[in-house]
Amino acid sequence: MDSIKQMPHPPKGDRKAARAANDAGLSALQLKAFDEAIEKFNQAIKADPADQEIVNNRGYALMMGGKLAEARSAFKDSLILALTRSSAWANLAMVFAKENKSDDGHAAYLLAFKFSQNQQKTREFLTKQSQEDADPLVRELAARVLQTIGPQ
């Protein structure tokens, strides 16, 4: 993780323009228009490349659109901006699960749990994933992580 902390961060940009494009991307995500969402998040990142949430949102859209290698890269970029962002670690874990890299996914989920500001909420998220996620690899990995972290 020290090597991640030492990575250069992009300069902050136009937050207002970035947030407007991000909102458009989130709307496209709700409609499952993944290519449109990715384009809007790309616009948002161009406006403000230092906004971790937008970079993470782009990764999520890529993942949902089946572009796993690009999603993995986006989540890593997101973690360069905010190493302790639990949602980015959880998203990265899901990509690893979908790529059948369960050991990497397990480690990423454990980091998501470690960095979570509300571990009970994270445990509930993992429980829901273990029962309801459409991808059996994600369900299996979430169940494995729950066994590792144990009951509250």
Side-chain angles (χ1 to χ4, degrees), residues 5-111:
K5 288 180 185 177
Q6 295 172 11
M7 302 285 290
H9 286 68
K12 292 185 187 269
D14 182 345
R15 182 168 171 79
K16 185 176 180 181
R19 283 297 162 159
N22 182 66
D23 290 346
L26 291 173
S27 294
L29 260 181
Q30 287 182 330
L31 299 172
K32 297 186 186 330
F34 302 121
D35 289 336
E36 180 183 344
I38 292 164
E39 179 56 35
K40 295 300 181 185
F41 293 134
N42 285 339
Q43 291 172 12
I45 291 168
K46 188 173 182 179
D48 187 0
D51 189 316
Q52 184 279 336
E53 182 179 345
I54 294 170
V55 175
N56 195 47
N57 288 345
R58 178 179 175 269
Y60 187 79
L62 287 162
M63 179 178 62
M64 296 306 292
K67 299 174 182 179
L68 299 180
E70 291 177 68
R72 184 176 2 93
S73 179
F75 294 136
K76 288 179 180 179
D77 290 345
S78 175
L79 289 165
I80 288 169
L81 297 171
L83 185 60
T84 60
R85 180 78 178 229
S86 63
S87 61
W89 284 111
N91 287 335
L92 182 59
M94 286 189 288
V95 168
F96 284 141
K98 291 172 182 293
E99 293 177 324
N100 208 17
K101 298 177 181 176
S102 64
D103 288 344
D104 291 334
H106 187 262
Y109 265 142
L110 290 178
L111 287 167

Side-chain angles (χ1 to χ4, degrees), residues 95-152:
V95 168
F96 284 141
K98 291 172 182 293
E99 293 177 324
N100 208 17
K101 298 177 181 176
S102 64
D103 288 344
D104 291 334
H106 187 262
Y109 265 142
L110 290 178
L111 287 167
F113 185 75
K114 174 184 177 181
F115 293 131
S116 175
Q117 293 180 2
N118 184 338
Q119 289 186 336
Q120 182 56 34
K121 186 175 177 182
T122 302
R123 189 178 269 109
E124 291 167 5
F125 166 78
L126 288 165
T127 299
K128 185 175 181 179
Q129 277 196 309
S130 73
Q131 297 168 353
E132 299 176 14
D133 197 274
D135 189 323
L137 295 172
V138 173
R139 287 194 310 267
E140 181 180 309
L141 181 59
R144 181 176 157 211
V145 171
L146 284 168
Q147 288 177 339
T148 300
I149 61 176
Q152 318 106 267

